[in-house]
Amino acid sequence: MSVSPSSPSALPSVSAGQAPTQADLYDFVRRTAADTELIDSLPLDPEGRTWVRLDGPGGSEAWLIGWPPGTGTGWHDHADSVGAFLTASGELRENSLAVRLPADGWKTLELTEDVDRERRLRAGQGRAFGRHHVHEVLNESPDRHAISVHAYYPPLPQIRRYSRSGPVLRLEQVERPEDWQ
C-alpha cells in the first residue's frame, strides 16, 4: 500500500529531475513524523513490525514502520542508497559502525576498536546517513511500541544483512526488492 502524507507541508521541495539529498530526506521524515493523523493510522501488531509504504520526495522510497516492544532489524546496510529516519513515537536505539566498509568482495571482517556508535532516538529525533551505512535499529522498550519514518534514495537496490560476534562482522545475506514482495 502506498500512502501520501495527509498534510501538503509534509513534502519537502525537491526540484523536478533533481535527486533528493540527505537533507531533503531528513526534512521529509521530520515533517511526516509530525503528521499525527498519519502516525496514528498505522496498524500496530504486538508480535511483529508493521509498515506502510509512503510517497517520498523526488522518487525516493519511504516507509512508516511500527516496532513492537523488543523488536529490531539486525545488522544491515542499504547498499548505495543514502537515507534518513526519525522516531515519530516511542524510542529507538541505533547501533552503527563509524567506519566505511568495502562495498563488495568480502564475507568476514574483523572490526577495530572504537568503531561502535550508539544513539538513542526519542520521538522527534532522527538522523541522516550516507551510502553503505551499517547499523541495527531496536525498540528496547518492554511494553511500548515505537513508530518511525524512513526514506532512501535511490530506492533500495538491495539490503545486505550481517551477523555480529564481538569484533567479527559476517555478511550473511543479500536481499533485493523482489525478496520483499
Side-chain angles (χ1 to χ4, degrees):
M1 172 161 71
S2 181
V3 176
S4 293
S6 60
S7 166
S9 66
L11 297 174
S13 58
V14 175
S15 300
Q18 181 181 350
T21 65
Q22 289 178 40
D24 294 327
L25 297 175
Y26 188 79
D27 187 50
F28 171 81
V29 298
R30 182 183 55 77
R31 291 175 188 233
T32 302
D35 183 341
T36 56
E37 185 177 332
L38 177 65
I39 300 308
D40 292 344
S41 74
L42 181 67
L44 300 176
D45 182 324
E47 301 298 319
R49 286 188 295 155
T50 54
W51 54 87
V52 173
R53 181 138 188 198
L54 303 172
D55 294 326
S60 64
E61 181 171 348
W63 298 90
L64 178 61
I65 301 176
W67 306 77
T71 59
T73 60
W75 287 95
H76 68 283
D77 73 15
H78 304 100
D80 290 324
S81 296
V82 298
F85 73 100
L86 189 132
T87 304
S89 71
E91 178 177 301
L92 294 171
R93 184 177 92 187
E94 180 198 32
N95 296 321
S96 63
L97 301 178
V99 63
R100 184 175 170 118
L101 301 179
D104 293 307
W106 65 277
K107 288 282 188 187
T108 303
L109 288 176
E110 186 161 343
L111 303 170
T112 60
E113 291 183 27
D114 299 328
V115 298
D116 289 298
R117 299 294 181 265
E118 177 185 311
R119 288 179 179 83
R120 298 237 175 235
L121 302 167
R122 293 175 181 82
Q125 296 178 322
R127 65 163 312 190
F129 54 86
R131 292 170 169 76
H132 307 288
H133 174 71
V134 178
H135 68 164
E136 68 174 347
V137 180
L138 308 156
N139 177 6
E140 295 181 315
S141 172
D143 57 5
R144 186 167 180 218
H145 269 79
I147 298 175
S148 57
V149 181
H150 303 246
Y152 312 98
Y153 188 86
L156 297 174
Q158 64 183 12
I159 291 179
R160 289 183 289 251
R161 299 214 175 263
Y162 306 97
S163 62
R164 174 103 189 255
S165 178
V168 177
L169 186 70
R170 181 180 316 278
L171 176 64
E172 297 291 346
Q173 181 179 6
V174 177
E175 298 175 359
R176 295 189 170 22
E178 56 270 17
D179 300 327
W180 312 321
Q181 304 305 324

